[in-house]
Amino acid sequence: MYMRVQDEEFKTMIYDLMNGHYDLDKFDCEESSVVENEFAEGRYCEKLYSEMLAAYGRICQRLHEQSGEDRDVEIIINNLLDMGRYQSMKMFNYGALFTEKQNQQ
């Protein structure tokens, strides 16, 4: 199992479970019983995301953006999400590394 947690596919699955990317009625895995969807209704990330969407709408209104989307705001949001994903993957690696070191002592 330890080698599996080092696998990029495994880390991505955990990340996707945390972010609610799977329909758990169609995607069943052992890890889904432990990993929580942080974007489920009432969860911390869901609240933050709702606030972000509301702020995004207000920015588009102030900019008189008829489409409801602003390219620069999209870039900011997407880059922040990409940074968060990158850091999450690195933290997973660090957690595995330090767990391995601790188990060797």
Side-chain angles (χ1 to χ4, degrees):
M1 175 84 175
Y2 182 74
M3 292 304 289
R4 186 170 177 223
V5 299
Q6 296 288 14
D7 185 22
E8 196 67 28
E9 185 177 337
F10 181 79
K11 293 186 297 185
T12 298
M13 180 188 65
I14 298 299
Y15 181 83
D16 287 344
L17 282 168
M18 284 180 52
N19 286 286
H21 293 173
Y22 294 118
D23 178 352
L24 295 180
D25 291 332
K26 296 178 183 174
F27 180 81
D28 186 34
C29 65
E30 179 183 333
E31 293 79 10
S32 68
S33 66
V34 178
V35 178
E36 297 177 13
N37 175 356
E38 298 300 332
F39 285 86
E41 189 173 333
R43 301 290 305 215
Y44 181 69
C45 289
E46 185 269 337
K47 291 175 184 177
L48 292 174
Y49 190 74
S50 293
E51 288 178 18
M52 183 201 68
L53 284 178
Y56 184 50
R58 290 189 302 271
I59 289 170
C60 288
Q61 281 181 331
R62 282 196 304 271
L63 295 174
H64 305 290
E65 182 56 55
Q66 299 300 320
S67 70
E69 296 180 3
D70 180 80
R71 186 180 180 316
D72 289 331
V73 175
E74 287 289 328
I75 290 170
I76 291 167
I77 291 169
N78 288 332
N79 285 349
L80 282 170
L81 291 173
D82 288 346
M83 283 188 283
R85 183 181 190 288
Y86 178 80
Q87 289 180 313
S88 293
M89 296 297 165
K90 294 292 274 192
M91 286 297 294
F92 198 105
N93 289 342
Y94 291 135
L97 173 70
F98 289 117
T99 299
E100 180 182 336
K101 283 184 177 184
Q102 188 174 31
N103 287 338
Q104 291 175 355
Q105 294 177 353

